[in-house]
Amino acid sequence: MKDEDFTKKVVFVAVCISISACLQVFSDWFIYWRPALLTEFWRLWTAHWVHVGWIHFLLNMLAFACLPFIFPHARTRHMILLLMVLSPFISIIFYWFMPHIEAYAGLSGVLHGMYVAVAIVYLKYPKERNFAILVLALIVIKIIWENTWGNSRTAQLIGSPVLVEAHWLGAFGGILAGSAYLLKRKLIYEKVDKINR
């Protein structure tokens, strides 16, 4: 990783963690709150940046801070785009298809989507393919584990029930985002190839 890329990633992570910490102080104004969602539209995004407590915040920020460094080819602008797209993707699905979800806070659903999207893109790099497959397999195992018998310990740790729907919705959004990126790259390469013939 070039020094310039490393610096961009450090700044990106620091800014995101700082924003999340500031929002955390006034979390009631920023959580996903279904009755207020259509009039306070910022909650579509901010709900994923506030957390139910500081332990929850620290766990998610640790996972977030690792992402750009364990996937060094991931560009900062792509991660920003994922943050901007996955947050409302999850919130809108909650609103329209899961009306029983009244409140939500946490970045974990978006994190699942980001890890899945980046890992899918990493499948195109032969040297990193095995690592990408490992990450995807671990996410699948984690989601299965959470949806069967495993989320009670996490709930005890963060002091709130785990909304596993956010995790699998985020992962699904990540599949869509990663696949769309690969399809776009393929179409660009095919277009360039036709021009060069």
Side-chain angles (χ1 to χ4, degrees):
M1 185 182 319
K2 296 176 189 173
D3 287 342
E4 184 180 312
D5 290 339
F6 181 80
T7 303
K8 279 183 184 177
K9 289 180 180 185
V10 168
V11 169
F12 167 68
V13 168
V15 167
C16 289
I17 290 174
S18 298
I19 290 170
S20 185
C22 290
L23 295 178
Q24 185 70 19
V25 175
F26 305 102
S27 61
D28 288 347
W29 287 95
F30 299 108
I31 65 168
Y32 173 93
W33 182 244
R34 191 173 197 284
L37 195 65
L38 295 182
T39 55
E40 299 172 356
F41 64 90
W42 62 84
R43 293 177 187 262
L44 291 168
W45 289 273
T46 60
H48 304 276
W49 285 94
V50 294
H51 297 83
V52 296
W54 288 103
I55 291 175
H56 188 210
F57 168 84
L58 290 172
L59 291 171
N60 277 337
M61 291 303 110
L62 180 62
F64 176 74
C66 291
L67 178 65
F69 301 103
I70 65 172
F71 290 108
H73 295 294
R75 305 256 180 179
T76 303
R77 67 177 181 265
H78 295 143
M79 287 184 282
I80 292 169
L81 184 61
L82 285 170
L83 287 170
M84 296 305 294
V85 170
L86 290 171
S87 297
F89 173 80
I90 295 168
S91 294
I92 289 168
I93 291 177
F94 281 173
Y95 187 83
W96 289 109
F97 299 105
M98 300 177 180
H100 63 281
I101 298 172
E102 287 285 320
Y104 173 78
L107 191 63
S108 57
V110 173
L111 283 171
H112 280 71
M114 291 178 76
Y115 271 88
V116 167
V118 174
I120 285 174
V121 171
Y122 256 61
L123 292 173
K124 74 178 190 170
Y125 299 110
K127 290 183 180 178
E128 283 94 2
R129 190 169 293 142
N130 288 338
F131 180 68
I133 291 169
L134 175 65
V135 168
L136 291 170
L138 288 173
I139 291 171
V140 168
I141 291 166
K142 180 182 181 290
I143 289 172
I144 291 170
W145 178 70
E146 287 176 336
N147 282 279
T148 51
W149 61 86
N151 77 13
S152 62
R153 286 188 182 171
T154 306
Q156 288 172 345
L157 182 64
I158 66 171
S160 178
V162 176
L163 193 60
V164 295
E165 291 92 333
H167 297 178
W168 57 260
L169 280 173
F172 178 67
I175 291 168
L176 295 177
S179 300
Y181 177 82
L182 290 177
L183 179 62
K184 179 186 168 196
R185 300 299 296 173
K186 182 181 178 194
L187 293 174
I188 289 170
Y189 286 133
E190 286 176 358
K191 186 176 181 180
V192 169
D193 191 41
K194 284 181 183 177
I195 291 170
N196 290 335
R197 285 184 187 173

